[in-house]
Amino acid sequence: MPPAHTALICVALPGLAISTEQGQLTGRGLEGVYRAGRRVLSRCQVRVAGREPLPVHARMTAADRALFVGTLRVSPDAGPDPDIVVERVRHADGTERITLHSAAPRPLRLPVEIALGTDLADLGAIASGRTGPELPASVHDCGLRWTCPSGNSAVTAHPPPTDALASAGLLRWEFELPPGGSAGVELRVRPDGAGPLRAAGRTSATTLLAPARAAGDHPGVQPLLHTCVEDLQALLLRDPSHPTDTHLAAGVPWRCGLAPAEALAAARMTLPLGTRLAVGTLRTLARTQTTGPGPRSGMIPGPRRDAGPHLPPSCTATEATLLFPTLLAEARRWGLPEKETEALLPAAENCLNWLRTTVGDDTYLNDPQPGGPQRCETQAHAHRAALLGAELLDAFGRPGGAELRHWAWSLRTAFQRDFWIDDLGGGRPAAARSPDGRLVPHLGAATAHLLDTGLLGGGEPAPGLLDKVQTEQLARLLGGPAMDSGWGLRGLGAKEAGFNPFGHRSGAVRTHETAVAVAGLIAAGYQKEATGLLRGAIAAAETFGHRLPEMYGGQQRTDGSAPLPHPAACRPAATAAAAGVLLLTTLAGIRPDAPAGTVTLRPAAGAPLGELVLTGLRVAGAPFSVRVGRLGLAMVEEAADGLQLGV
């Protein structure tokens, strides 16, 4: 798999542009412009006066575009200083603007050549090293065209080139630049006959995600929230058969499609930005729900996922099915209208019916079904879905709420007994129970989900699976040096067998789980442990240019060190960008109950990042702003008319 961690990735799905800091597209590795997973341009090399510009600067200027600057010395008497600056602005939609700026004291006549090529390879072939040679080009409509049995691509140029050589894939111009003058070329790349790219996040009549902003004492909060919201917009996709319904792709470059569990988790973490993403995701997944007789009836389909060295792969269908009613219930609390909630209620009921049918007379939910282990995080997801689902059913006069609450109570009672491992250090929750009842004792980030209990009416968190003493011990473990790398929460404790700081589920820091842990620790009142993880994640975000990857190395932080990127991580990733939103909004402790017309604030004690002001959020369908002072006191500065502050 070609490394992606050093690439500059412009995203506006279904378009991508992947570049190195050199700026030139050479066709090596992942470099190129993509549309819907196919590389429509792999090579774009600029030469001025027969030479390539010397790269001096490269940076992302937005989620969907990057700037590259190079210099040249073309005047024979210019001395050591460059007198031509070549500026390139590359967009995810396949547009690139190349501009030459002259600082020469006299007019210049400059030949400019752009060498173009593509293999029209799909991303899967590129990832596995199965790409073919570049395709032959033909001259076409002020540019070049390539075609093969699986597709075609074309580049058009403005102004039209002076010369076009198909055999060399070359476009040429002659520019006259006066002293201080500029000239430029605009290239447009797209599949032959395709119209301009209409990215879901850029073409909505109204903004799908609220344009939230952050300010405060910590200099990292403003760029982090800005970048996270931009990345989320860039990852939006429309359901082709229902274009009004929008969801998030899992991540770039490897997972540009829908991953149900990740899409639901990300939509849940971004509820402070409004409920439109949540409802679009829920509608899209409701249409995929398994129906008819059989043990999978009511499930939201999803693939298996690696679970590390100690457990077999988990089933993301189980996680997605449990997240569905949770997201619907919490979206209603944040302001999803009753009519839209009720329309999705049958799908949520199907998920809850699957849960009760699958558990049957047992206490625990196996994952995967049948015969898989009983994972601690699966019980946490199921417990939360049962309690929030019961409240949702009661609100709409549907039966089944009492049965779900009774099962949740039985699960909570049994879990505190059966899943707790006593030891000299105070004990720990088991990662899982095998079908024969043996406990899997390793400590991992999945235990953070035990702290994520969900939001009930009146701004009250749902009860969790652990008792108070066990919760305190888990907080101590998550905030300890084995789990807290100094940059965030490790996927597996550093002292556990099989620990690998780059392991997907065996030691790398996963941004999503770090945010879940921070939010859960703050809600449970463990500010010290939450603050350590929070500050580590914010510091890591700064080193990654505030674009958090889905995971990064779990090595211990030391003075002067930096978190190590994971070469296979998606960046941007839906759950990572959404986690950045959760990290900041959880500091204000916003707990809305839109049906009751109230919002409760439970900010983090001690204001871990100093004063924080969040504006442009959405609660009950209206703009919402909150200020958290340096003493940890929160104040609403903007809210919907009639929304009352809860106690």
Side-chain angles (χ1 to χ4, degrees):
M1 186 177 288
H5 62 283
T6 58
L8 280 73
I9 303 180
C10 306
V11 189
L13 292 180
L16 292 175
I18 304 178
S19 319
T20 70
E21 292 186 345
Q22 302 302 306
Q24 301 275 40
L25 296 180
T26 66
R28 292 191 288 266
L30 286 169
E31 291 178 49
V33 177
Y34 295 79
R35 175 77 72 94
R38 184 172 297 278
R39 184 157 61 182
V40 292
L41 185 70
S42 58
R43 190 162 54 88
C44 182
Q45 295 171 288
V46 176
R47 289 189 293 271
V48 179
R51 290 182 291 136
E52 293 191 9
L54 177 70
V56 296
H57 179 73
R59 66 182 175 92
M60 300 291 301
T61 59
D64 66 338
R65 60 188 179 273
L67 169 67
F68 305 92
V69 179
T71 61
L72 285 158
R73 184 170 63 88
V74 298
S75 302
D77 54 353
D81 300 326
D83 51 4
I84 294 293
V85 174
V86 181
E87 184 178 274
R88 304 174 69 170
V89 180
R90 185 169 296 144
H91 294 254
D93 66 1
T95 303
E96 180 166 343
R97 180 73 184 175
I98 303 165
T99 307
L100 281 64
H101 303 281
S102 173
R106 64 187 185 198
L108 295 175
R109 183 179 182 86
L110 293 177
V112 174
E113 297 179 339
I114 302 180
L116 304 167
T118 189
D119 49 14
L120 287 174
D122 63 60
L123 191 56
I126 295 168
S128 59
R130 294 183 287 106
T131 59
E134 280 192 0
L135 299 168
S138 60
V139 176
H140 174 76
D141 188 23
C142 301
L144 298 174
R145 182 176 185 268
W146 301 266
T147 186
C148 71
S150 59
N152 50 62
S153 175
V155 174
T156 57
H158 181 79
T162 306
D163 197 8
L165 301 177
S167 60
L170 199 66
L171 304 180
R172 290 176 175 171
W173 292 261
E174 290 277 349
F175 290 116
E176 300 278 353
L177 269 66
S182 300
V185 173
E186 184 173 270
L187 303 177
R188 293 186 179 273
V189 189
R190 60 181 61 128
D192 193 17
L197 179 67
R198 299 181 71 250
R202 302 289 173 181
T203 57
S204 298
T206 57
T207 305
L208 184 75
L209 298 170
R213 297 173 297 279
D217 290 339
H218 194 291
V221 299
Q222 185 275 330
L224 176 59
L225 186 57
H226 174 79
T227 302
C228 287
V229 174
E230 270 209 341
D231 283 345
L232 290 165
Q233 291 277 9
L235 289 169
L236 290 172
L237 289 173
R238 297 186 186 280
D239 185 332
S241 59
H242 297 80
T244 58
D245 292 339
T246 311
H247 60 270
L248 288 166
V252 172
W254 311 119
R255 305 172 69 207
C256 296
L258 174 64
E262 282 86 346
L264 289 164
R268 183 174 175 234
M269 289 187 283
T270 56
L271 284 172
L273 305 181
T275 60
R276 289 186 62 207
L277 174 60
V279 74
T281 304
L282 290 166
R283 286 173 181 160
T284 299
L285 292 176
R287 290 188 284 270
T288 73
Q289 191 171 43
T290 304
T291 58
R296 299 184 64 82
S297 180
M299 292 195 81
I300 305 296
R304 297 286 177 97
R305 178 169 59 199
D306 176 68
H310 301 283
L311 289 167
S314 63
C315 181
T316 61
T318 301
E319 183 178 347
T321 305
L322 299 172
L323 275 171
F324 191 101
T326 295
L327 176 59
L328 182 60
E330 291 189 327
R332 177 173 174 263
R333 294 291 170 204
W334 281 89
L336 183 65
E338 298 290 274
K339 184 177 180 180
E340 294 187 75
T341 305
E342 191 168 16
L344 285 161
L345 196 55
E349 285 183 292
N350 290 339
C351 294
L352 295 169
N353 289 337
W354 170 84
L355 170 61
R356 290 301 297 125
T357 301
T358 304
V359 172
D361 295 330
D362 296 331
T363 302
Y364 301 114
L365 179 63
N366 294 71
D367 178 25
Q369 288 287 333
Q374 299 157 353
R375 304 171 196 269
C376 74
E377 70 271 24
T378 301
Q379 314 318 309
H381 296 324
H383 183 258
R384 183 180 61 221
L387 291 178
L388 272 63
E391 192 175 61
L392 192 61
L393 295 176
D394 290 351
F396 288 90
R398 304 290 183 95
E403 182 184 4
L404 285 167
R405 287 191 184 90
H406 178 73
W407 174 75
W409 177 84
S410 300
L411 174 63
R412 187 160 60 248
T413 303
F415 188 93
Q416 293 170 10
R417 177 190 67 242
D418 296 342
F419 265 77
W420 192 259
I421 301 171
D422 289 314
D423 58 32
L424 295 178
R428 64 172 64 184
R433 293 175 83 240
S434 64
D436 62 5
R438 290 182 295 107
L439 296 180
V440 180
H442 73 271
L443 179 66
T447 56
H449 293 284
L450 295 170
L451 301 173
D452 178 14
T453 61
L455 183 65
L456 296 175
E460 290 300 317
L465 284 175
L466 300 178
D467 63 26
K468 185 175 181 179
V469 173
Q470 292 170 338
T471 301
E472 182 177 1
Q473 173 64 3
L474 177 58
R476 188 183 69 82
L477 291 171
L478 295 180
M483 290 298 296
D484 183 357
S485 70
W487 301 112
L489 191 69
R490 294 185 175 98
L492 182 67
K495 296 180 180 179
E496 304 295 322
F499 170 74
N500 174 2
F502 285 109
H504 277 63
R505 304 278 170 180
S506 58
V509 173
R510 299 193 67 85
T511 305
H512 176 200
E513 273 87 2
T514 298
V516 167
V518 170
L521 288 165
I522 288 175
Y526 297 99
Q527 308 297 331
K528 177 183 176 182
E529 293 80 3
T531 296
L533 290 170
L534 169 69
R535 289 178 176 168
I538 297 292
E542 292 176 357
T543 69
F544 289 115
H546 305 286
R547 176 180 263 186
L548 281 162
E550 62 174 329
M551 61 182 168
Y552 45 92
Q555 290 87 352
Q556 187 63 42
R557 182 178 182 177
T558 59
D559 290 342
S561 68
L564 300 180
H566 193 294
C570 286
R571 179 171 171 262
T575 54
V581 176
L582 179 61
L583 283 170
L584 296 180
T585 57
T586 199
L587 292 175
I590 307 166
R591 299 180 183 179
D593 188 349
T598 65
V599 61
T600 304
L601 300 180
R602 293 287 185 269
L609 300 182
E611 184 178 61
L612 175 66
V613 182
L614 298 172
T615 58
L617 304 176
R618 294 194 75 81
V619 174
F624 185 85
S625 301
V626 61
R627 178 185 299 270
V628 181
R630 295 184 181 92
L631 298 179
L633 301 177
M635 179 176 64
V636 175
E637 296 193 331
E638 183 182 21
D641 291 340
L643 191 67
Q644 300 295 314
L645 189 63
V647 179

